[in-house]
Amino acid sequence: MHTEVAEPREDLKIPKGVFCEDVVQVNHFTDRLFMFRITRPQSFRFRSGEFVMIGLPGLTKPIYRAYSIACPSWDDELEFYSIKVPDGPLTQHLQNIKLGDKILMRPKPTGTLVNDALLDGKRLYLLSTGTGIAPFASIIRDPETYEKFEKIILTHTCRKVPELAYGQNLVELTLSDPLVSEEAQNQLIYYPTVTQDEFKRTGRVTHLIDSGKLDEDLSLPKLNPAEDRVMICGSMGFLQDLKAMLIEKGFAEGSNSSPGEFVIERAFVG
Ligand code: A2P
C-alpha cells in the first residue's frame, strides 16, 4: 500500500485558529508505544473522555489525527498516548518529538466516550485494547465517574506484557491521586489481559466476557443492560465484535444527544 507522506520542513507555518503548544514530556514504553504531554492553552476546556485533532507544524501537507485526551479535565497540561506506525503519515514524525518541540492542536474537543452519553447505571465497564485505554485515563480520574457509578471496571487487553505498562502506571497514579484516591480504592477494578504472552490473565476480553470468566474473576453479575453501562475504545475488530455482543445482550448505543447503555470510539492508528 502506498501512503502519501508529508515531509518535515524548516519553516514552521502555524495555521490560524490552531493552538501551537510545547512538548513538556515524552516517555517511550515499547518500540510501538509512547506518551507525550504538552502545555495546555488557558482557554482550552474539555469533558473527560473527549478527543482532539493533533498535528505537527512544518509538514509540507497538514496532517491531523484524532487523539484522546489522556488526563483529567483539571490538569495543567494535556497528555496523549500514541502508537508508532513506521510509515504512518503523522506518527512516523510524531514518534521523534522531543522536549520543547511544537505540537498543533485544533481548538474543538469532541467525542462520545463521555458520561453525558450514558444513562445512569450501577457499574461502568471501560473496555479497551492497545492505545484505546487513553480516554479512560481521563474518565477514571474524574470524580464525577465515581459519583455516577458504584463500580468502575477498567479492562485493558494487549498482545504483550510490556504493552500494559501505560495502564499499570495510570492505575497506580489514580489510586494515589488525592482527588479520587479514596473512591478509586473502593470502586475501581483494573483487569489487564494479554493475548500473546504469558501473564496471570490471558485471552481477548470478548472471550473472557463470553465464557463468564470475567464475572467469575471479579465476582460480578453477568453484563446486563439494566445495571451496566459500557464504554469501548480500541481496534476496529474489537469495536465491531463488542458492539455485536452488547446489542445481542439488549444494550442500546448512546450518543451525546441521546444517552444510552453503551458508547464506542475507535482508537487512533496511523
Ligand atoms: P490478539 O492478539 O488475539 O489479536 P492490536 O495490537 O492488533 O490492536 O491488538 C491489541 C489487542 O486487542 C490484542 O491483545 C488483540 O488480541 C486484541 N484484539 C484484537 N482484535 C480483537 C477483537 N476483535 N476482539 C477482542 N480483542 C481483540
Side-chain angles (χ1 to χ4, degrees):
M1 189 180 78
H2 174 72
T3 316
E4 196 182 344
V5 164
E7 293 301 330
R9 271 190 350 200
E10 289 304 307
D11 52 328
L12 300 183
K13 281 215 182 94
I14 313 296
K16 244 182 135 180
V18 172
F19 294 121
C20 180
E21 299 300 312
D22 294 328
V23 175
V24 292
Q25 191 184 339
V26 186
N27 280 354
H28 292 268
F29 294 96
T30 69
D31 56 359
R32 291 200 323 136
L33 295 165
F34 73 114
M35 67 78 99
F36 57 97
R37 290 178 77 89
I38 63 172
T39 49
R40 176 175 181 164
Q42 277 193 341
S43 61
F44 182 74
R45 298 276 170 275
F46 69 98
R47 292 179 299 167
S48 301
E50 286 188 316
F51 66 83
V52 275
M53 303 305 289
I54 291 281
L56 281 170
L59 299 181
T60 46
K61 193 167 134 248
I63 297 172
Y64 288 85
R65 289 289 181 269
Y67 272 88
S68 291
I69 304 168
C71 59
S73 52
W74 44 261
D75 209 313
D76 290 340
E77 300 162 352
L78 298 175
E79 179 167 325
F80 302 98
Y81 183 43
S82 179
I83 195 156
K84 307 174 196 179
V85 180
D87 58 358
L90 181 66
T91 61
Q92 66 165 300
H93 303 301
L94 195 61
Q95 64 183 282
N96 299 321
I97 52 168
K98 296 179 298 302
L99 296 191
D101 284 355
K102 301 284 183 196
I103 296 281
L104 301 180
M105 186 176 85
R106 290 209 175 124
K108 289 255 176 295
T110 183
T112 53
L113 298 182
V114 290
N115 273 325
D116 294 346
L118 286 178
L119 297 166
D120 286 345
K122 212 167 178 180
R123 291 173 291 271
L124 174 64
Y125 282 83
L126 306 171
L127 308 179
S128 64
T129 62
T131 55
I133 195 172
F136 304 147
S138 181
I139 304 263
I140 67 168
R141 294 180 68 181
D142 185 335
E144 192 195 318
T145 309
Y146 297 93
E147 281 163 27
K148 195 162 170 181
F149 298 97
E150 286 177 17
K151 289 274 177 225
I152 292 93
I153 301 107
L154 170 66
T155 81
H156 190 207
T157 304
C158 295
R159 297 182 199 179
K160 306 275 183 191
V161 171
E163 295 168 359
L164 294 175
Y166 181 80
Q168 289 165 335
N169 187 44
L170 160 71
V171 171
E172 272 171 36
L173 284 174
T174 306
L175 293 172
S176 61
D177 176 346
L179 197 65
V180 292
S181 65
E182 207 182 313
E183 290 86 344
Q185 280 166 28
N186 292 319
Q187 295 168 251
L188 179 65
I189 299 171
Y190 172 50
Y191 191 86
T193 81
V194 300
T195 50
Q196 300 180 22
D197 237 347
E198 297 217 355
F199 190 58
K200 60 181 174 190
R201 271 191 219 102
T202 54
R204 290 181 167 196
V205 78
T206 39
H207 296 167
L208 298 168
I209 292 173
D210 245 354
S211 68
K213 177 92 171 76
L214 183 131
D215 326 321
E216 194 187 302
D217 284 348
L218 304 179
S219 304
L220 290 175
K222 278 215 165 311
L223 253 189
N224 70 83
E227 296 178 312
D228 296 320
R229 301 293 169 257
V230 187
M231 292 187 178
I232 312 168
C233 190
S235 66
M236 199 47 114
F238 174 68
L239 302 192
Q240 282 167 350
D241 288 357
L242 261 172
K243 181 172 175 168
M245 184 190 279
L246 290 176
I247 286 174
E248 202 190 297
K249 289 180 190 293
F251 284 78
E253 186 168 359
S255 66
N256 275 289
S257 55
S258 169
E261 286 140 359
F262 78 96
V263 281
I264 278 191
E265 206 107 80
R266 190 186 172 184
F268 162 80
V269 277

